[in-house]
Each structure stands twice: as structure tokens, then as C-alpha cells.
Amino acid sequence: MFRHLREDLNCIRERDPAARGTFEILTCYPGLHALALHRLAHACWQQGLLWLGRWISHWGRFLTGIEIHPGAKIGRRVFIDHGMGVVIGETADVGDDCTIYQGVTLGGTSLGTGKRHPTLARGVVVGAGAKILGPFTVGENARVGSNAVVVREVPPGATAMGIPARIIQDTTAQVREAQAAKLGFSAYAVTQARDDPLSVALHSLIDHSAEQAQKIDAIMAALDRLGVCPESIGEASFDARRLNELVDN
Ligand SMILES: CC(C)(COP(=O)(O)OP(=O)(O)OC[C@H]1O[C@@H](n2cnc3c(N)ncnc32)[C@H](O)[C@@H]1OP(=O)(O)O)[C@@H](O)C(=O)NCCC(=O)NCCS
């Protein structure tokens, strides 16, 4: 129990810049209180104490404004920020490290008794007021924009925005990361300063130089194999990762 609490405190400290200290988090964060009560309610639910589970959940809602059905599965280090108006349905499954803001509904659209609420994979962020409706999965590290209404699956890493939600997949970062991996370095914070033309230009130059350096290395290796490589030319030391870090900082 204390391990869970410590994890919860740490994740709030990491994800809420407004969090000032442990005492403040313990006493003033309804998301923390709601999750503690949910753990109790869920344990009762699993033991077959259904009414007691519902009753604890009801008090949790009364005290925090966050309604989590006792049957819902909530992972570790989940942060419900502000929380008022959050509703999490019975068959919802919230993965580890998810962040949920106020007014979010993880709801169902059918009256059947089976799985009818969404599953959030690890690291999903659900913006304020978003509604995710149905028994589909929102993929790992996906983001749901505030006030979006999501009615179908969201792929990992994608962003869902609008009503009904449009899925936006940022392939720029993935393409650049794949290119960078081929060249033997890892693109650094590719999305951080996308709007800054100078930064974009510098990153492009670094990518280009890394590619050139790799080609020169290959030519030198070929010349070396032919025995015509002048010994005076040493290995080029081009640290693309370091340069990318310098641009982004
Ligand atoms: C969806 C979200 C994750 C996108 O963030 P982002 O990738 O940084 O996107 P940007 O802010 O650069 O916006 C990209 C485009 O989407 C639009 N957009 C952003 N958020 C949107 C939303 N929730 N609904 C509809 N459109 C949205 C922007 O207007 C912009 O449109 P444009 O390209 O035509 O100018 C973010 O806007 C969001 O909603 N986060 C939730 C935050 C939250 O709920 N905070 C609560 C704190 S209490």
C-alpha cells in the first residue's frame, strides 16, 4: 500500500508543475484520494462484496467528484489531475502511467453486460473533457485532445482530436528517428522545437552532415581495403547526438 502511495506521490510531482510538496499532494489532490478509495472498492468487488464496493465508490465520488466503478481496472502511477467530473466505467481498463484530466468519461455505448468501456494502454494522456466511448483500445502513449469524442481505436503514439475524433499520427518524428538510427545516432527531442525555423534548419544540417560523414567513412574504408588510404587521414569524429542536444537546449 505504501509502495503504491509513494509511486503516486512521485508521479504527481513529476507530472504537475503546480505540486509543491508531499503534504500538499497528500491533502489537496482529489485524484490521489479517489485512487486510494478505488483500490479498496476494487478489492471488495473482487472478493464478491459488490454492494460494499459500490458504496465505497459512491463515497469516493461524493468526496472527490471522481466516479470510478469498483470493477474498473486501474494501473500503477495513474494521475487523475483536478478530477472533478471524471467517470470511469465498470469494464474500463486504465494502463500504467496514464494521465487523465477533469471531465473525462471512459464510457460505454451499449447496454450489454460484457466489455463495453475502453482500454487505455500505458502512458496515455486524456485531455480535459474528453469522452472515450466503446470497448476499443487507445494505444500506448497516445494523446486524446481536450473535449474530443473518441469512438474508435487510437493507434499507439497517435493524437485524437475533435468530434468525432480525427486520428493524427505524427510520422515526421518516426521517419527522422528511423533515419537517425540508420546513421548510428538517435534523433534528440525531434518534436520539441518544430515551430522554430532556425532549429529545424540546424537539425536538417546535422542530419545531412551525419549522412555525409557516414558516406565518407564508407569511402575511406573502401580506399583502405584497396590499400590507397592515406594514413594521415584519421577517423572523423562527428557527434550528431551531442549537436542535436546543443540545438535543443
Ligand atoms: C490534443 C493536444 C494533445 C495536441 O497538442 P499538440 O500536439 O501540441 O498540438 P498543437 O497545440 O500544436 O495543435 C495542433 C493543431 O491541433 C489543434 N488542436 C489542439 N488541441 C485541440 C483540441 N483539443 N481539439 C481540437 N483541435 C485541437 C490546434 O488548434 C492546431 O491546429 P492548427 O494546426 O490548425 O493550428 C493538446 O492540444 C490537448 O488538447 N491537450 C490536453 C491538455 C489538457 O487537457 N489540459 C488540461 C489541464 S487542466
Side-chain angles (χ1 to χ4, degrees):
M1 188 181 115
F2 286 107
R3 192 160 42 97
H4 276 298
L5 186 64
R6 225 188 342 263
E7 276 184 354
D8 288 348
L9 288 170
N10 285 340
C11 87
I12 292 176
R13 247 186 243 115
E14 279 162 20
R15 285 181 240 166
D16 184 6
R20 274 180 204 84
T22 305
F23 184 69
E24 186 190 288
I25 297 172
L26 277 172
T27 51
C28 303
Y29 276 70
L32 184 79
H33 305 150
L35 287 178
L37 286 167
H38 172 71
R39 278 184 200 120
L40 195 60
H42 188 60
C44 293
W45 190 262
Q46 282 182 314
Q47 296 301 315
L49 303 169
L50 304 187
W51 177 83
L52 190 58
R54 281 307 298 254
W55 191 70
I56 294 169
S57 156
H58 171 73
W59 276 99
R61 173 178 179 268
F62 181 76
L63 295 170
T64 64
I66 297 167
E67 180 174 334
I68 310 176
H69 191 284
K73 294 191 188 111
I74 312 279
R76 290 165 65 169
R77 300 174 297 281
V78 169
F79 177 31
I80 302 179
D81 199 3
H82 308 290
M84 183 60 80
V86 166
V87 176
I88 300 180
E90 179 184 358
T91 59
D93 199 333
V94 179
D96 296 342
D97 302 302
C98 287
T99 305
I100 294 172
Y101 288 99
Q102 69 275 16
V104 166
T105 300
L106 304 185
T109 50
S110 85
L111 299 178
T113 48
K115 169 84 173 158
R116 58 195 186 282
H117 301 103
T119 294
L120 307 188
R122 173 190 287 269
V124 171
V125 178
V126 188
K131 315 291 172 222
I132 307 179
L133 307 173
F136 52 82
T137 298
V138 178
E140 207 167 300
N141 295 321
R143 296 182 306 166
V144 176
S146 53
N147 289 323
V149 177
V150 184
V151 288
R152 63 189 166 99
E153 190 130 338
V154 181
T159 302
M161 291 191 258
I163 304 174
R166 285 171 297 121
I167 310 293
I168 293 156
Q169 219 154 3
D170 185 3
T171 48
T172 325
Q174 286 154 11
V175 168
R176 192 163 174 262
E177 189 69 51
Q179 176 75 358
K182 262 195 247 161
L183 299 176
F185 71 96
S186 172
Y188 179 79
V190 282
T191 53
Q192 256 183 26
R194 255 187 329 198
D195 297 335
D196 174 7
L198 190 61
S199 158
V200 171
L202 284 170
H203 279 306
S204 305
L205 282 172
I206 294 166
D207 285 359
H208 184 70
S209 303
E211 213 175 324
Q212 294 298 315
Q214 205 204 26
K215 282 180 184 158
I216 291 170
D217 282 350
I219 293 167
M220 295 304 289
L223 289 175
D224 196 26
R225 276 196 300 278
L226 294 169
V228 290
C229 184
E231 273 175 20
S232 56
I233 301 178
E235 272 193 14
S237 62
F238 183 79
D239 190 349
R241 178 194 289 269
R242 173 86 192 109
L243 291 173
N244 275 323
E245 282 176 5
L246 284 173
V247 172
D248 282 325
N249 289 330

